[in-house]
């Protein structure tokens, strides 16, 4: 018998580690509630995972098997389960978050194991440790073979067992997406039918993002982050669609496939640089003079900065545990540049609040936006006024999440941080004034980063 150790892979289909474990023997599936991992996962995401875990257990039970749920250190729990079931090997899907990597290596020394590449399309160990930009990574990654999805194990490959151990009861402070593979597949099918063919044209259209939450973008990220659907399944479907269409539709589908390569590069970075979530990727001759004002950080978290596009993004995070990518970039830039708050503060807050938190994407994206990561531009600063003017000129997105500004003319909302104070007080007395000056904060960020880079 083999043990399969479920981690961030709460599914049967397109689970390469599970398929490998079932290839030549029966499989006993196990999920270990690891207290150290639990502390690293936000309450919202953990609640979503536990919903998915219950559905995964139900899927095993429908097949005459069960999912063992145990609590403790996997290096102690998994050898004990192997002894209990006379299993000769533990299979698992390779994970790259530092706390999980430590756990996996400890399990490797305690019992015979086989680690399988499942979380990504291309094993990061086969790629270079350093790419100067995404184009260089993409060229190398694109040339590598991408395996197709694997089917769920046959019923007779699953051990006939029963387990009555409890799955932890959890609560979230928001309404969570429906969990599980079926919900993921339904959301993905909606996007394939009514979204992917226009993805490049609509993904930054904030009016479309409000009107069609699934369509303008896929909104598959919570399921991918939890492993409720596999990356090869998404890639295969997108590739089939790419081959079936032409013209503008093909260009749009190709953009979606290209965006998946950014996730792959994030994992490449985390694999080769495990300190990515905690240390600057880029070296600076001088220390960055972060200010990290706690009151400004708190205002940013509440969505009370007086910058409408930023506040809408943070309020979407507070209400949904998700932020559309365009405002996600803006809220991160505003924190690290206009407020000069250390990017690690933002990373930790996203980790705590996002249902779709992904340890590689989160670290790589925060560092890219903070100009401490892999960006080829020395100092990148998003202007939240110009960004709103370009992507949400009619204030559809902003007024969806900032009700204090409903009824204010869209042009005034766009220009809010630069309006005279008495005009702001007249138009929306319940909405805050900007907590920093737009131009002054921009110029300060430029000075601070140029100094850190040794260019002043």
């Amino acid at each position: 018998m083999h043990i399969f150790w479920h981690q961030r892979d709460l599914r049967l289909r397109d689970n390469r580690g599970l398929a490998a474990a079932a290839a030549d023997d029966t499989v006993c599936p196990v999920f270990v509630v690891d207290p150290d991992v639990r502390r690293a996962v936000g309450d919202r995401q953990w609640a979503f995972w536990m919903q998915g875990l219950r559905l995964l257990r139900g899927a095993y039970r429908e097949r005459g098997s069960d999912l063992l749920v145990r609590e403790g250190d996997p290096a102690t729990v998994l050898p004990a389960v192997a002894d209990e079931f006379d299993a000769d090997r533990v299979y698992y899907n390779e994970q790259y978050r530092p706390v999980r990597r430590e756990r996996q290596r400890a399990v490797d020394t305690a019992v015979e194991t086989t680690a399988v590449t499942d979380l990504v399309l291309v094993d990061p160990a086969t790629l270079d440790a350093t790419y100067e930009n995404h184009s260089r990574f993409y060229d190398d990654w694109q040339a590598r073979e991408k395996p197709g999805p694997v089917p769920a194990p046959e019923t007779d490959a699953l051990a006939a067992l029963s387990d009555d151990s409890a799955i932890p009861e959890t609560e979230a402070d928001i309404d969570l997406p429906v969990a599980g593979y079926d919900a993921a597949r339904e959301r993905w099918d909606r996007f394939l039918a009514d979204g992917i063919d226009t993805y490049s044209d609509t993904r930054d259209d904030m009016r479309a993002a409000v009107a069609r939450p699934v369509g303008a973008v896929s909104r598959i990220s919570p399921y991918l982050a939890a492993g409720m659907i596999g990356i090869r399944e998404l890639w295969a479907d997108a590739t089939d669609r790419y081959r079936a269409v032409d013209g503008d539709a093909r260009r749009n589908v190709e953009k979606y496939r290209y965006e998946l390569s950014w996730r792959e590069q994030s994992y490449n970075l985390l694999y080769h640089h495990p300190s990515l979530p905690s240390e600057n990727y880029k070296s600076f001759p001088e220390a960055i003079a972060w200010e990290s004002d706690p009151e400004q950080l708190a205002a940013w978290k509440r969505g009370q900065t007086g910058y409408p596009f930023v506040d809408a993004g943070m309020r979407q995070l507070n209400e949904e545990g998700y932020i559309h990518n365009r405002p996600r970039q803006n809220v991160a830039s505003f924190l690290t540049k206009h407020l000069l708050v250390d990017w690690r503060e933002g990373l930790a807050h996203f980790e705590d609040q996002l249902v779709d938190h992904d340890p590689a994407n989160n670290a790589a994206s925060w560092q890219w936006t903070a100009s401490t990561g892999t960006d080829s531009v020395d100092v990148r600063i998003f202007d939240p006024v110009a960004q709103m003017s370009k992507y949400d000129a009619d204030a559809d997105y902003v007024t969806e999440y900032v009700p204090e500004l409903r009824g204010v003319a869209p042009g005034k909302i766009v220009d809010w941080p630069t309006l005279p104070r008495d005009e702001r007080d007249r138009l929306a007395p319940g909405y805050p004034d900007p907590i920093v000056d737009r131009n002054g904060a921009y110029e300060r960020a430029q000075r601070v980063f140029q100094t850190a880079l040794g260019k002043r």
Side-chain angles (χ1 to χ4, degrees):
M1 182 179 290
H2 295 154
I3 302 293
F4 179 70
W5 175 22
H6 277 282
Q7 298 177 82
R8 276 180 56 209
D9 44 24
L10 306 181
R11 65 188 187 279
L12 302 182
R13 176 174 165 73
D14 193 24
N15 188 321
R16 297 188 76 220
L18 178 59
D24 60 358
D25 209 337
T26 55
V27 178
C28 171
V30 182
F31 183 90
V32 181
V33 179
D34 180 342
D36 285 349
V37 171
R38 170 64 189 95
R39 283 190 288 272
V41 179
D43 290 346
R44 294 170 167 185
Q45 189 171 54
W46 185 257
F48 183 60
W49 286 5
M50 292 303 99
Q51 290 183 13
L53 195 65
R54 292 183 182 90
L55 292 168
L56 180 63
R57 170 176 269 180
Y60 276 116
R61 287 177 173 175
E62 288 174 0
R63 291 162 173 79
S65 185
D66 210 333
L67 175 67
L68 303 186
V69 177
R70 300 289 185 264
E71 184 171 356
D73 183 343
T76 300
V77 170
L78 292 170
V81 173
D83 287 343
E84 179 183 351
F85 288 89
D86 195 25
D88 57 12
R89 184 169 293 272
V90 172
Y91 285 74
Y92 64 83
N93 290 320
E94 189 78 42
Q95 304 287 316
Y96 307 105
R97 189 174 192 164
V99 65
R100 290 192 184 274
R101 289 177 76 170
E102 292 171 5
R103 286 295 191 261
Q104 289 170 167
R105 302 306 166 246
V107 170
D108 292 343
T109 64
V111 66
E112 292 293 324
T113 61
T114 296
V116 178
T117 300
D118 173 84
L119 192 61
V120 290
L121 290 162
V122 177
D123 182 355
T126 67
L127 296 166
D128 290 347
T130 303
Y131 291 95
E132 59 194 56
N133 53 49
H134 183 70
S135 294
R136 293 294 298 273
F137 170 83
Y138 182 74
D139 290 344
D140 198 2
W141 175 85
Q142 181 73 340
R144 306 302 176 94
E145 182 180 357
K146 315 295 191 300
V150 295
E154 298 291 337
T155 299
D156 59 7
L158 303 174
L161 55 89
S162 178
D163 183 67
D164 59 2
S165 54
I167 292 174
E169 294 293 332
T170 56
E171 294 184 2
D173 61 350
I174 59 171
D175 292 333
L176 295 170
V178 178
Y181 173 79
D182 289 345
R185 187 67 229 187
E186 189 274 336
R187 180 168 292 191
W188 178 239
D189 285 339
R190 285 170 58 195
F191 180 65
L192 288 174
D194 185 30
I196 197 169
D197 288 358
T198 57
Y199 171 76
S200 183
D201 295 337
T202 62
R203 72 192 193 104
D204 282 326
D205 182 342
M206 302 312 299
R207 173 181 289 179
V210 171
R212 295 192 301 146
V214 179
V217 292
S218 69
R219 294 290 292 262
I220 200 69
S221 55
Y223 300 97
L224 191 57
M228 294 175 188
I229 194 166
I231 185 62
R232 285 155 304 281
E233 188 167 345
L234 303 184
W235 180 260
D237 288 346
T239 300
D240 287 347
R241 186 64 184 168
Y242 174 77
R243 292 169 178 164
V245 297
D246 55 20
D248 284 344
R250 173 171 281 203
R251 171 180 56 80
N252 279 279
V253 175
E254 178 57 13
K255 180 63 174 178
Y256 187 86
R257 291 181 356 126
Y258 177 76
E259 288 303 307
L260 292 178
S261 73
W262 282 94
R263 177 181 182 272
E264 296 277 309
Q265 186 181 19
S266 295
Y267 274 99
N268 183 70
L269 287 167
L270 185 59
Y271 174 83
H272 290 290
H273 307 278
S275 64
L276 191 71
S278 57
E279 298 178 11
N280 291 339
Y281 177 82
K282 185 191 298 183
S283 297
F284 290 84
E286 303 291 338
I288 301 171
W290 301 113
E291 298 208 354
S292 298
D293 182 294
E295 292 185 3
Q296 291 187 346
L297 173 61
W300 175 81
K301 289 180 179 179
R302 295 193 307 269
Q304 294 282 347
T305 69
Y307 282 76
F309 201 43
V310 171
D311 291 342
M314 294 307 296
R315 295 189 195 189
Q316 184 180 27
L317 172 64
N318 294 340
E319 294 172 20
E320 301 176 12
Y322 168 87
I323 312 179
H324 184 284
N325 184 63
R326 176 55 54 180
R328 194 177 297 213
Q329 291 177 319
N330 275 267
V331 303
S333 176
F334 187 82
L335 183 73
T336 57
K337 302 297 174 47
H338 284 72
L339 301 185
L340 279 178
V341 172
D342 192 318
W343 59 268
R344 283 159 280 231
E345 295 280 2
L347 177 145
H349 186 64
F350 272 24
E351 183 178 272
D352 185 59
Q353 296 292 97
L354 284 170
V355 177
D356 70 352
H357 172 260
D358 178 291
N361 283 349
N362 198 40
S365 297
W366 270 100
Q367 292 236 38
W368 182 88
T369 310
S371 299
T372 61
T374 58
D375 194 358
S376 57
V377 176
D378 278 348
V379 186
R380 184 184 299 273
I381 304 176
F382 286 73
D383 179 353
V385 175
Q387 288 275 303
M388 183 178 173
S389 177
K390 183 175 181 179
Y391 298 108
D392 193 34
D394 293 328
D396 296 285
Y397 176 76
V398 163
T399 53
E400 177 74 12
Y401 295 100
V402 185
E404 303 98 303
L405 293 175
R406 292 171 189 166
V408 177
K412 296 294 185 181
I413 298 175
V414 169
D415 291 335
W416 186 265
T418 60
L419 295 178
R421 182 170 184 173
D422 60 347
E423 186 174 7
R424 291 195 299 262
D425 289 344
R426 176 175 57 81
L427 290 172
Y431 184 64
D433 291 315
I435 62 174
V436 289
D437 177 73
R438 175 194 182 191
N439 294 332
Y442 179 93
E443 293 166 1
R444 180 184 62 173
Q446 286 282 8
R447 290 195 303 271
V448 165
F449 276 84
Q450 292 296 334
T451 299
L453 289 164
K455 296 185 176 182
R456 288 180 63 89

